[in-house]
Amino acid sequence: MRLTERAHVAVAGHLQPGALAVDATAGNGHDTAFLAERVGPAGHVWAFDVQAEALAATRARLDACGLLERVTLLHRGHEGWREALPPELRGQLTAVMFNLGYLPGGDQRRVTSPVTTLAALNEAVAWLAPGGIVSLLVYRGHAGGLEEHAAIERWLAQCPLQVECQSAPANNTGAPLLYLLRCRACPGGSASSVPGPVR
Ligand SMILES: C[S@@+](CC[C@H](N)C(=O)[O-])C[C@H]1O[C@@H](n2cnc3c(N)ncnc32)[C@H](O)[C@@H]1O
């Protein structure tokens, strides 16, 4: 199973109809559409991307599936999380998905970067609901990928959430990695408290 599918399976185990979720990197909209489908008509998804091209692709995908009304598309970096998301969402997000790197089919020089990714990861941890999950798919093969992964590894070492790592079956250091972050107190998704952000 591809890591993108594994991320969906893991996140689906936490999402209920009516849930609230964030796609931190909308890209071509596969993850946004998945989240919108799972949260149902009573739920909502906020999706960030810095590229108009990515948001156009995501919008088209959502529109084709009749899911557009469930999603707020944010044309800005996920590091602008606090300015972009309603403050009442803090502690209410059941799932946050990160799929790092560049837009497939787009400009491969426009990649996620360590500083902004870590800023958004801190917010994701802080805004997660009890029983929520953060999925983090990291690619190391592009320019800057190894540096971003190293920064993420350092961040994960002090992350208050339980971290599970899955790797693509490839025998090289550039293989993608999927991290699943869950509240330590609630591996089954029924926590009573959420750890604070890493600062
Ligand atoms: C691998 S793609 C995401 C794939 C997407 N999740 C999907 O399902 O199709 C990575 C995306 O991150 C976006 N990106 C780069 N820096 C960003 C930032 N600071 N905030 C939000 N998105 C960013 C890129 O524009 C690109 O579209």
Side-chain angles (χ1 to χ4, degrees):
M1 192 188 292
R2 297 171 59 183
L3 290 182
T4 47
E5 294 170 53
R6 285 203 219 172
H8 286 186
V9 170
V11 170
H14 291 252
L15 280 178
Q16 305 294 334
L20 305 174
V22 166
D23 185 351
T25 52
N28 286 316
H30 297 97
D31 296 327
T32 308
F34 157 76
L35 289 168
E37 178 70 42
R38 298 298 300 201
V39 302
H44 202 77
V45 179
W46 287 260
F48 289 93
D49 207 290
V50 288
Q51 296 193 65
E53 182 187 352
L55 291 170
T58 299
R59 176 181 291 278
R61 185 176 302 281
L62 294 169
D63 204 18
C65 303
L67 296 169
L68 197 50
E69 285 187 1
R70 302 178 193 178
V71 179
T72 299
L73 295 171
L74 300 164
H75 187 188
R76 61 186 305 163
H78 43 221
E79 62 277 14
W81 185 293
R82 284 193 210 180
E83 294 74 42
L85 296 182
E88 59 271 23
L89 286 187
R90 194 181 177 99
Q92 303 297 320
L93 296 174
T94 303
V96 181
M97 299 189 76
F98 289 81
N99 188 336
L100 303 178
Y102 58 83
L103 176 67
D107 184 349
Q108 298 193 7
R109 293 167 302 179
R110 298 203 67 181
V111 293
T112 50
S113 71
V115 170
T116 52
T117 296
L118 296 192
L121 279 169
N122 280 325
E123 299 298 348
V125 170
W127 290 51
L128 205 61
I133 184 169
V134 177
S135 70
L136 174 59
L137 189 46
V138 183
Y139 301 91
R140 297 176 288 173
H142 60 272
L146 284 175
E147 290 77 10
E148 184 174 42
H149 175 246
I152 286 168
E153 278 287 331
R154 287 192 294 276
W155 180 85
L156 288 170
Q158 51 164 344
C159 174
L161 303 187
Q162 176 183 296
V163 179
E164 176 190 347
C165 179
Q166 302 184 0
S167 167
N171 188 21
N172 65 69
T173 55
L177 296 165
L178 172 65
Y179 297 95
L180 300 172
L181 282 52
R182 298 180 175 95
C183 177
R184 287 185 191 282
C186 51
S190 57
S192 57
S193 66
V194 182
V198 181
R199 295 285 178 219

